[in-house]
Amino acid sequence: MRFRHPDGSTVHLAYCTNVHPAETLDGVLAQLRDHCEPVRRRLGRDRLGIGLWLARDAAHALVTDPSALRGLRTELERRGLEVVTLNGFPYEGFGAEEVKYRVYQPDWADPERLAHTTDLARVLAQLLPDDVTEGSISTLPLAWRTAYDQERATAAHTALATLAERLDALHELTGRSLRIGLEPEPGCTVETTRDALAPLTAIGHDRIGICVDTCHLATSFEDPHTALDALTQARVPIVKSQLSAALHAEHPHLPEVRAALAAFDEPRFLHQTRTLTAAGLRGTDDLGEALAGDALPDASPWRAHFHVPLHAAPAAPLTSTLPVLRAALTHLVGGPHPLTHHLEVETYTWQALPPELRPRARAQLTDGIAAELTLARDLLTDLGLKELP
């Protein structure tokens, strides 16, 4: 979906396909047929943007087989789909029964991460629509915080500098300008936007910036305006923003609130949980850990890294951090010029919701994704952007 900003530039809105697990190119092609095109039709649009997730094997197949890459581009066009951004965070196995900490491997100190992200950039350069010259890729925020010492930090920074050089070369070769955004996430070396300032300033290349995920922003209790102003002042490029909402519990000390939160404690993904105390931010690596005994202070609200559907906040006594998303989006694209031109709805947890809230059929998932995109579209038009055909 494309929107015209009052300054005349185009803002792209997509939804991320990591909600449809696939490890192979055949699986990606099936996603386009079974999910992405039905969402487009459900919205009644001729064109729909998707934030494509390509696992290692799928990306490698595309970069080593030019005919396969041409075939994917043809299939996208045939189904009325376009790609200007990729989700390069998960490497593989995102559809496994238990993902948890595995999603942070390999990290940027490992050569596999550089090789995979290079593949993604080469693929994206060929998938961009003919009238689009800029693409974006979100990626792991360096590493999970444990076992990340100075030696690994140096290796990660070197890898990102090498990637920037490769993106420069790709621009010269193809005319397509691609940028990478580190995506701050609770528990990682770069947990907050503030944590991103030092490494990104040190790398000092305009092709390496940040991806602002509004669920992660909210989970860490960052004020959107303060965070985004700091990025602007530091001249850190906001490569893209993922529009998502976290789980919010206003009174976590109450038994009924604990019971409601327990329904979201599931075995597949990590749900880092945070609370803001007078002494600063406190947290646990997962929701179950927070609910067990007194691992986390409960005198103040809790937020959990659980991407809840944008259009459907959890039932009371819980809610979502949609207000944080609204505030961030206002700052990102509501001013005289957009701070980013790439927006992506990323609710990958539909099948991890409590059983009674999960889509029971493919059509229900299609309806849910379409409803999220409709909400995002309405937020953008309310800010003065004009929806394009």
Side-chain angles (χ1 to χ4, degrees), residues 26-265:
D26 284 344
V28 171
L29 294 173
Q31 288 177 352
L32 305 185
R33 179 194 67 224
D34 296 339
H35 299 288
C36 302
E37 185 178 10
V39 170
R40 177 183 66 77
R41 293 184 180 278
R42 176 67 178 79
L43 289 166
R45 297 191 54 83
D46 294 332
R47 174 173 55 189
L48 177 67
I50 57 172
L52 202 57
W53 173 61
L54 298 170
R56 178 197 61 177
D57 289 348
H60 186 69
L62 289 167
V63 84
T64 56
D65 185 351
S67 65
L69 185 50
R70 287 193 298 270
L72 174 58
R73 182 182 173 111
T74 298
E75 190 71 1
L76 287 165
E77 293 172 351
R78 186 170 77 87
R79 299 192 181 280
L81 306 168
E82 66 177 14
V83 176
V84 304
T85 187
L86 300 180
N87 187 329
F89 197 137
Y91 180 73
E92 62 184 353
F94 201 60
E97 290 185 4
E98 183 177 337
V99 178
K100 297 290 184 182
Y101 293 95
R102 292 169 51 193
V103 76
Y104 307 105
Q105 297 294 330
D107 64 33
W108 272 102
D110 297 319
E112 293 88 350
R113 177 61 66 172
L114 173 60
H116 175 57
T117 310
T118 301
D119 284 350
L120 293 178
R122 291 171 176 162
V123 168
L124 182 56
Q126 299 302 317
L127 292 183
L128 287 177
D130 291 339
D131 61 344
V132 175
T133 59
E134 296 185 354
S136 61
I137 303 172
S138 49
T139 189
L140 177 78
L142 298 182
W144 185 252
R145 69 182 186 279
T146 56
Y148 190 73
D149 54 19
Q150 186 55 51
E151 182 179 357
R152 293 188 67 79
T154 300
H157 291 187
T158 300
L160 284 166
T162 300
L163 178 65
E165 294 173 358
R166 293 178 180 178
L167 295 178
D168 282 341
L170 193 61
H171 186 206
E172 292 185 13
L173 181 66
T174 67
R176 304 299 179 87
S177 179
L178 305 183
R179 297 189 299 171
I180 307 298
L182 303 184
E183 182 185 332
E185 176 164 315
C188 291
T189 301
V190 175
E191 170 159 341
T192 66
T193 56
R194 181 180 299 176
D195 295 335
L197 296 178
L200 289 176
T201 302
I203 293 166
H205 199 295
D206 62 4
R207 296 201 186 278
I208 312 295
I210 195 168
C211 168
V212 176
D213 184 303
T214 58
C215 170
H216 304 171
L217 191 79
T219 301
S220 295
F221 286 87
E222 289 195 83
D223 174 72
H225 300 294
T226 302
L228 296 174
D229 278 344
L231 293 173
T232 301
Q233 291 166 10
R235 297 189 177 182
V236 171
I238 302 176
V239 172
K240 65 187 280 190
S241 180
Q242 289 171 329
L243 307 183
S244 53
L247 192 63
H248 180 94
E250 186 68 19
H251 302 292
H253 65 285
L254 297 177
E256 60 269 28
V257 176
R258 295 281 185 127
L261 283 169
F264 288 84
D265 178 26

Side-chain angles (χ1 to χ4, degrees), residues 330-367:
T330 298
H331 202 101
L332 286 166
V333 301
H337 303 286
L339 300 184
T340 184
H341 289 88
H342 291 178
L343 305 172
E344 178 183 67
V345 171
E346 196 213 11
T347 304
Y348 58 84
T349 44
W350 283 94
Q351 298 303 335
L353 291 167
E356 67 276 10
L357 301 179
R358 295 174 193 168
R360 293 185 296 277
R362 187 180 297 167
Q364 287 184 309
L365 179 57
T366 296
D367 289 346

